[in-house]
Amino acid sequence: SVKLIDENKTAVAEITMNDKKGGIFPKTNGVFTTTYDKTLAKGAYYAQVLLDYGGDVLLGGQKKFTIEK
């Protein structure tokens, strides 16, 4: 899933990715995409991604971005 978090650390949206549960074979790459069709207010946000690959731990990361409308 992708969680969108605003400057106040409030989650404003959670977007499902890979709802068909497609997998990636070991030692290969894959790309999963999603869209968000609502308008975000001007400001800074974080896109936080959490991946469950079926192992003992979850993988995650985040990227800061800014809406300048």
Side-chain angles (χ1 to χ4, degrees):
S1 66
V2 178
K3 189 179 288 186
L4 300 180
I5 302 167
D6 68 12
E7 297 176 283
N8 300 316
K9 304 213 176 4
T10 301
V12 296
E14 187 159 355
I15 308 159
T16 300
M17 284 182 49
N18 191 24
D19 55 350
K20 295 181 182 175
K21 308 289 185 212
I24 300 173
F25 292 108
K27 298 183 182 180
T28 64
N29 295 320
V31 176
F32 295 99
T33 61
T34 191
T35 58
Y36 184 66
D37 59 1
K38 297 183 178 146
T39 302
L40 292 172
K42 181 178 177 180
Y45 294 87
Y46 292 92
Q48 190 176 70
V49 178
L50 187 62
L51 303 172
D52 183 350
Y53 64 97
D56 293 336
V57 296
L58 299 174
L59 298 177
Q62 68 180 20
K63 175 73 176 171
K64 186 176 183 178
F65 66 97
T66 303
I67 303 292
E68 299 175 351
K69 292 183 182 177

